[in-house]
Amino acid sequence: MASVGYEYSLDHQLRRKIQVQHVENEVTKEQTILPKFEDLPLGKDDPPYSAWGLWGDNDEVGTVRLLTPARVARGAQEIREGLRYSLNWSLNSPTTPGFGRSHYPFCHTLHCDTPGLLVFDDSITFNTQKSTQWDGLRHFAYQKEQKFYQGVSKAEILAPGSTKLGLQNVDKQGGIAGRAVLLDYAAYAESVGYIYDALSHSISFEELMACVRYQEEISGESMTFLTGDVLIVRCGYTKQYLTLGKEQEEEAGKHLPPLSCGVGQDVRLLKWLWDHHFSAVAGDSPSFESFPPNEDAGFLFHEVLLAGWGCPIGEMLWLEDLSKSCMEKKRYSFFVASSPLNIEGGVASPANMMAIL
């Protein structure tokens, strides 16, 4: 992994300009040079592991910038058979959203009130993080510092007319599209006879790396992760959710503290994510990372990915059909395309996402 050494005795702002210059110059060559993980945070007074200023002091896009035209075109080469898979769970699911979102009921209403014409309209009211969705950069701050990506404050976001860090920035980039890689932890666990609770299990770094080796054995080749890839982790949440009875479903959604299966907080995994320079990460659980978190880790992935790196997090993706196809085809890379809602100042959005093999 190429990296550049920086003189950390330079003024903070000057130092950032040097880093940004390296990134902007190299992106045109499709050889993005980024700081080492050990160099984070970039500013001595910035929150742990943050990369504020890497793309410029006024950046509101973050790692989606890694999806350059050449990388998107490269990702399209993953389309070999034209098999399409929707990664969107029904907006009706889950019935009882977790993390306090059950207070915002989903409502779909039909309207047939146009005089002289038999036509239907419909309206939908829902929390944008109810089902399959992207967390945008307005969603989660560094909790101790109370700062969002680039040091943006709560007051800046709530200022009248503010669209700071809103989802419109992703739309201006053309959405999220490119090469993606699936790590099917649920399939790996089943292959070794490991039974776990897919509503709350914390996937360890060792388990995730074992999943990589398992998939390499299936495919007969080393798994390759390229700069700008979208990383997708299947833990089996949606599959287990569909087996729940009414009382079990409601209990899971209203459990306090909130429960979620996902990757466990581990600095080794954080470094692995940074070193591979993913443009976004996603999974089939409500939070991508496990909750309650491992407090000994000293960080949350939501803090570092969203507020530190500007890296979108996708949650509650429907991965069951894609998983079966990947297993059948013995390949785990494919093309994805996602067009989040173009909402000025939007916090989150349905993913509107598909995979093509």
Side-chain angles (χ1 to χ4, degrees):
M1 182 68 62
S3 60
V4 174
Y6 299 105
E7 179 53 62
Y8 284 93
S9 62
L10 294 175
D11 175 80
H12 183 196
Q13 294 301 320
L14 176 59
R15 200 172 23 145
R16 279 186 168 173
K17 289 179 182 178
I18 293 173
Q19 292 160 346
V20 171
Q21 189 64 43
H22 277 294
V23 171
E24 292 176 344
N25 287 345
E26 293 300 325
V27 161
T28 59
K29 304 175 186 176
E30 304 306 330
Q31 295 177 350
T32 308
I33 295 177
L34 297 171
K36 297 178 181 178
F37 179 76
E38 291 75 16
D39 293 333
L40 303 180
L42 297 185
K44 62 182 178 64
D45 297 322
D46 291 347
Y49 311 115
S50 63
W52 294 352
L54 180 62
W55 308 101
D57 289 337
N58 297 318
D59 176 59
E60 298 184 39
V61 176
T63 55
V64 172
R65 290 193 183 279
L66 293 170
L67 290 170
T68 59
R71 292 192 180 113
V72 175
R74 179 195 66 199
Q77 296 175 14
E78 296 289 338
I79 301 176
R80 304 173 191 173
E81 299 170 277
L83 299 173
R84 308 188 309 277
Y85 297 94
S86 170
L87 304 187
N88 306 299
W89 204 10
S90 170
L91 268 177
N92 294 294
S93 298
T95 303
T96 310
F99 294 86
R101 295 182 182 121
S102 59
H103 300 304
Y104 306 97
F106 172 81
C107 181
H108 178 210
T109 305
L110 293 179
H111 307 283
C112 185
D113 48 17
T114 303
L117 293 174
L118 178 56
V119 297
F120 282 101
D121 288 353
D122 56 358
S123 59
I124 305 174
T125 304
F126 63 100
N127 185 299
T128 54
Q129 298 186 65
K130 178 190 186 301
S131 188
T132 305
Q133 48 91 16
W134 284 112
D135 285 346
L137 306 189
R138 280 188 154 200
H139 172 51
F140 209 96
Y142 274 102
Q143 298 302 294
K144 178 181 177 181
E145 293 81 2
Q146 295 287 286
K147 296 291 185 181
F148 293 86
Y149 180 57
Q150 297 282 65
V152 171
S153 67
K154 177 181 178 181
E156 289 179 89
I157 288 179
L158 293 179
S162 171
T163 62
K164 197 80 171 177
L165 302 182
L167 278 174
Q168 76 280 356
N169 294 295
V170 176
D171 185 79
K172 289 176 181 177
Q173 295 293 313
I176 298 172
R179 185 177 186 266
V181 179
L182 174 69
L183 292 184
D184 195 343
Y185 173 77
Y188 157 71
E190 182 177 358
S191 74
V192 296
Y194 179 53
I195 299 175
Y196 64 98
D197 185 355
L199 301 185
S200 61
H201 178 63
S202 180
I203 303 172
S204 70
F205 177 72
E206 289 84 2
E207 288 177 316
L208 204 61
M209 295 303 103
C211 177
V212 172
R213 294 190 293 271
Y214 160 74
Q215 292 182 187
E216 289 177 334
E217 292 177 1
I218 290 178
S219 65
E221 58 186 24
S222 296
M223 290 197 68
T224 303
F225 302 92
L226 304 175
T227 295
D229 282 356
V230 176
L231 176 70
I232 301 176
V233 179
R234 175 177 174 256
C235 68
Y237 174 87
T238 56
K239 180 180 179 180
Q240 182 167 326
Y241 172 88
L242 294 177
T243 69
L244 300 177
K246 182 178 180 180
E247 292 184 1
Q248 291 175 309
E249 192 278 338
E250 185 172 343
E251 180 182 354
K254 294 184 176 180
H255 191 282
L256 293 175
L259 292 174
S260 178
C261 183
V263 296
Q265 297 78 17
D266 187 322
V267 71
R268 293 174 298 172
L269 180 54
L270 191 64
K271 181 180 186 302
W272 187 82
L273 294 175
W274 175 266
D275 288 346
H276 287 92
H277 303 316
F278 297 110
S279 60
V281 301
D284 62 346
S285 73
S287 69
F288 178 72
E289 62 182 312
S290 60
F291 271 88
N294 171 21
E295 295 183 359
D296 292 337
F299 73 91
L300 295 175
F301 282 107
H302 273 65
E303 288 180 309
V304 179
L305 294 178
L306 292 173
W309 303 348
C311 178
I313 299 176
E315 296 161 342
M316 287 185 282
L317 273 61
W318 177 255
L319 300 175
E320 297 309 298
D321 302 320
L322 175 64
S323 168
K324 293 175 184 176
S325 185
C326 286
M327 175 72 77
E328 177 184 334
K329 304 298 180 184
K330 298 183 179 180
R331 52 179 290 229
Y332 294 89
S333 59
F334 40 87
F335 185 80
V336 293
S338 172
S339 185
L341 298 178
N342 184 9
I343 304 176
E344 296 285 333
V347 172
S349 168
N352 299 322
M353 192 172 186
M354 67 186 301
I356 311 177
L357 275 70

